[in-house]
Amino acid sequence: MGPLPARLSVVTLAARDIRVLLSFYRALGWPELPSSDDGWSAFLLGGVLFALYPLPDLAAEAAPGVSDSAGGWSGVTLACNVDSRAEVDAAFAAAVAAGATVVAEPTDRSWGGRSAYIADPEGNRWEIAWAGTARFDERGALISFG
């Protein structure tokens, strides 16, 4: 496996009203993580974490300086979680070397992990992240988070 694993770990939606979205996804009966709250919520769906994060907070990380009206960011991020804190930096460097645009350099996050953001050639945002609570099976599918 190369420095950036072929792995989709998390899809995050930027929530304009997280309480409304939480109510909707809870009503579907999806398995919500116990660590969810009104500031961040997630559902483990078949090996991928589906997360909701307030729009201003996600925009600050994934699209700094881009306004909603600019059309430069969809409000959706994809994430590839790696197995260690140090792997964030190596995977980030590999993605940039492959032609990704730097959005946010690797940094330690307030939630205890480390992550960086890149954009692919069409501007789609990817977070390269390490979270100490993420667990994967032998195929790289996310089996638990938190």
Side-chain angles (χ1 to χ4, degrees):
M1 179 175 352
L4 182 58
R7 177 187 292 171
L8 177 61
S9 311
V10 182
V11 174
T12 304
L13 295 183
R16 286 173 177 75
D17 187 334
I18 197 165
R19 289 188 177 125
V20 170
L21 286 180
L22 276 172
S23 178
F24 172 75
Y25 289 109
R26 286 172 177 157
L28 293 177
W30 288 6
E32 186 176 5
L33 296 185
S35 59
S36 294
D37 59 32
D38 286 346
W40 176 86
S41 187
F43 304 82
L44 189 55
L45 307 175
V48 174
L49 195 70
F50 173 67
L52 305 173
Y53 200 53
L55 175 61
D57 299 332
L58 188 58
E61 290 183 13
V66 178
S67 73
D68 283 346
S69 62
W73 179 55
S74 66
V76 175
T77 63
L78 306 167
C80 176
N81 278 62
V82 294
D83 296 320
S84 72
R85 181 180 298 276
E87 287 178 53
V88 171
D89 297 63
F92 175 80
V96 172
T101 300
V102 173
V103 174
E105 297 279 340
T107 188
D108 291 333
R109 300 289 180 184
S110 61
W111 45 266
R114 183 170 180 78
S115 77
Y117 284 87
I118 55 139
D120 72 13
E122 291 196 359
N124 298 297
R125 298 307 204 265
W126 278 86
E127 180 183 23
I128 300 167
W130 169 79
T133 59
R135 300 290 175 259
F136 303 95
D137 69 12
E138 65 282 348
R139 299 174 302 117
L142 188 65
I143 56 173
S144 69
F145 193 94

